[in-house]
Amino acid sequence: MAATSTAPTGAIFLPHALKRVALVAVLALLGGCAGLGTFGGLGAKRGETPYGAYLAGRHAASVNDPQKAAAFYDAALRGEPNDPLILDRAFMAALTAGDIDRAVGLAERLVAIEPGQRMARLTLALAEMKSGDFAGAREQISASAPGPFTALVGTLTSAWAAAGESDKELMLEKIGAFEGRTAFALFRSYHQGLMLDLLGDAAGADEAYAEAMNASGGSSVRVVEAYASFLQREGRVDEARLALEGFLAFAPDHPLVLDHLARLSRGEALPVQVRSAADGAAEALYGLGSALMQDASSDLSEVYLHLALYLRPDFDIARSLLAGTYEARGRWDEAIAAYGKIGRASPLYMNARIQTAMALNRLNREDEAIATLRRLARDKPESIDPLVAIGDIYRAKENYAEAIVQYERAIVLSGAPSERDWTLYYARGICFERLGEWDKAENDLKLALKLSDDHPLVLNYLGYSWIEQHRHLDEALAMIEKAVERRPNDGFIVDSLGWARYRLGEYALAVKYLERAVELQPDDPTINEHLGDALWKVGRKIEARFQWNHALVMDPEEKRVRLLRTKLDFGLEAAEGAEREAAGIGAAEL
């Protein structure tokens, strides 16, 4: 067992009790554990002893079940209430599970043993901020052990606590610690703008917001929202509108920005981004949680988002992001619960309902998913999004005819084709192709290609389809090469290039691209089958059979199963003959 916690807290010694756990584990493997039992003996079920509960908690945490992990660690603490490692694990599990009140209590116990424990000090500081004790919050951060964690999170929290005390000089001193540090430039300018805005320093806020806009290139929705709200309150409505409209170049359908533009058109006040110092600290935690979303191996993104929501329960964008972290980890029930807390009045409500439906679908609750989207379509008759989502569900289930019905309803609603509609025609084109209605599919895919300005996905699908049909081979190859140039790490697109080379009889070159495609997308049966075919053509028949067998265990389409078995039993030529016979075409046409 490791001698340190996986939480970002610094070293924690391995207690005597847990050294004993390691011995128990070794003896258990040897089948000789008698005589070591306490707390019910080693014959007890896992979870009935502090040690068993601790190990069960570790397992629950490893399979992304923080609620169960927290419950097991709490059970372990009842037997070993002062064990620092169990206490640390229980504290982090409570944070990850979103039980912040429980985490605060555990943090108080933890700092009594490990005074500099950083995350515990941060949690206690936020509890102080929530209650309005800003001096107490700064004291908690000051007691935290130094390190990168304290340099960023602690500094922002201390600065917001100073703003809560209306101590502008101290606030500027704290936030000024980021001056000249390029990595923190956007955090500094954005939060300095928010703080000065809260303290009523309009000139200082304007300068800091403008710096943040410049640092982000106008692509940060939170910076744009905050600056637009500030500009409107300063009577600079046209500038506010320009800032919001500029963001639409990055995300044309962002619901928050569209909501703000609609409010401006109606002459309504835009929401103030930060209404209190606690809101500001929540904003900092949200930003950190968002930045850490890319690290799927870490729970810190969830922890920061839970802490943000502890300070600001109505923080819908943080709640939506938290639900997204659950989706990324396959925790669909938790995602549904999180999205369910976003109310109808929120600009993010429709997105929350659509994502709820998609999560239901991932749980094989297709009827509920479709019903959710149909209700949303009735509630929002002007929006194509629920219809597209229904179409996507049907398409994923290979119900292409019903998917086309939904896409066509969306196309009618969207009006004349525009650049933003390319995905509609692309999706409908795929469905037509799968149903064998190639003329309709080709028309849709060509239109999607034009509207999307040669998007790699459309280049790939149309080019691949032409190659499969032995049509427009030179043009198709050029299209796929262009797609690969734009997305060199997309396994499906690289596969298309390899298969194009195969169809042209360039088998050695095909192997090169298809091996790369399998590296990029190792779990796709079609790519593995393609590589097997190419390997066979260059005489590497043992390797070819390995790839075909690999494809066979990956749940390929039913029609491919028979052909893969034929390849394995009789070789590629026999399978090609069977395929030609089934299709009623000659060898030269295949």
Side-chain angles (χ1 to χ4, degrees), residues 105-344:
L106 292 170
E108 290 171 344
R109 292 165 59 183
L110 189 54
V111 297
I113 301 170
E114 293 287 332
Q117 214 275 12
R118 301 183 188 104
M119 187 62 80
R121 287 294 182 187
L122 173 65
T123 302
L124 294 173
L126 298 176
E128 301 284 18
M129 288 196 73
K130 188 177 176 74
S131 69
D133 184 355
F134 301 113
R138 288 191 292 103
E139 288 174 9
Q140 292 289 351
I141 294 299
S142 296
S144 179
F149 172 91
T150 309
L152 178 57
V153 189
T155 298
L156 283 170
T157 305
S158 293
W160 274 111
E165 296 176 287
S166 298
D167 190 334
K168 179 179 171 182
E169 182 178 352
L170 180 59
M171 178 270 289
L172 289 173
E173 176 189 327
K174 294 292 185 183
I175 199 74
F178 296 133
E179 194 73 46
R181 303 175 70 176
T182 305
F184 298 152
L186 180 56
F187 267 106
R188 181 198 60 76
S189 55
Y190 174 50
H191 282 275
Q192 184 166 319
L194 292 172
M195 292 171 190
L196 292 172
D197 195 355
L198 180 67
L199 295 179
D201 182 349
D206 193 8
E207 182 179 352
Y209 281 140
E211 186 180 343
M213 286 287 289
N214 183 60
S216 67
S219 64
S220 167
V221 68
R222 298 304 288 167
V223 173
V224 169
E225 284 182 283
Y227 194 34
S229 174
F230 168 79
L231 290 170
Q232 185 198 42
R233 282 179 277 119
E234 291 296 303
R236 297 155 62 185
V237 176
D238 289 341
E239 291 179 66
R241 184 175 290 106
L242 282 174
L244 292 164
E245 289 174 346
F247 180 82
L248 295 180
F250 301 100
D253 299 313
H254 198 292
L256 291 171
V257 174
L258 293 177
D259 172 76
H260 282 31
L261 284 168
R263 288 175 186 246
L264 285 182
S265 297
R266 297 193 297 266
E268 297 176 6
L270 298 180
V272 177
Q273 195 92 317
V274 164
R275 304 157 300 188
S276 66
D279 281 1
E283 186 72 28
L285 292 162
Y286 162 77
L288 293 167
S290 178
L292 290 167
M293 273 282 287
Q294 304 302 317
D295 186 0
S297 65
S298 172
D299 292 329
L300 275 179
S301 178
E302 285 181 51
V303 167
Y304 287 139
L305 293 171
H306 279 305
L307 289 169
L309 289 163
Y310 168 70
L311 291 175
R312 187 174 179 179
D314 66 346
F315 204 174
D316 285 342
I317 193 169
R319 196 173 299 282
S320 184
L321 188 62
L322 178 63
T325 67
Y326 294 148
E327 289 174 315
R329 293 178 175 226
R331 289 155 55 185
W332 306 110
D333 286 317
E334 290 172 82
I336 291 167
Y339 282 127
K341 294 179 181 178
I342 297 175
R344 283 179 172 271

Side-chain angles (χ1 to χ4, degrees), residues 84-101:
L85 183 54
I86 298 177
L87 190 56
D88 181 78
R89 296 277 185 178
F91 164 66
M92 288 303 299
L95 284 181
T96 308
D99 188 352
I100 308 302
D101 290 333

Side-chain angles (χ1 to χ4, degrees), residues 507-587:
Y507 301 122
L509 197 53
V511 168
K512 172 187 171 183
Y513 288 118
L514 292 169
E515 285 181 332
R516 173 61 177 158
V518 166
E519 288 178 8
L520 294 168
Q521 199 71 38
D523 56 354
D524 183 77
T526 300
I527 298 176
N528 279 274
E529 183 181 1
H530 285 172
L531 177 57
D533 291 0
L535 289 168
W536 184 276
K537 288 291 190 180
V538 297
R540 295 162 60 181
K541 296 187 176 182
I542 294 175
E543 295 170 82
R545 283 195 164 95
F546 174 83
Q547 293 301 145
W548 291 333
N549 190 66
H550 203 42
L552 193 59
V553 299
M554 291 180 178
D555 194 28
E557 293 181 359
E558 186 59 37
K559 65 182 181 181
R560 303 307 307 172
V561 172
R562 178 178 54 81
L563 290 169
L564 281 165
R565 293 192 186 283
T566 301
K567 290 176 185 180
L568 284 165
D569 292 340
F570 304 109
L572 178 61
E573 292 79 10
E576 287 178 337
E579 199 165 11
R580 286 196 299 272
E581 183 179 341
I585 59 178

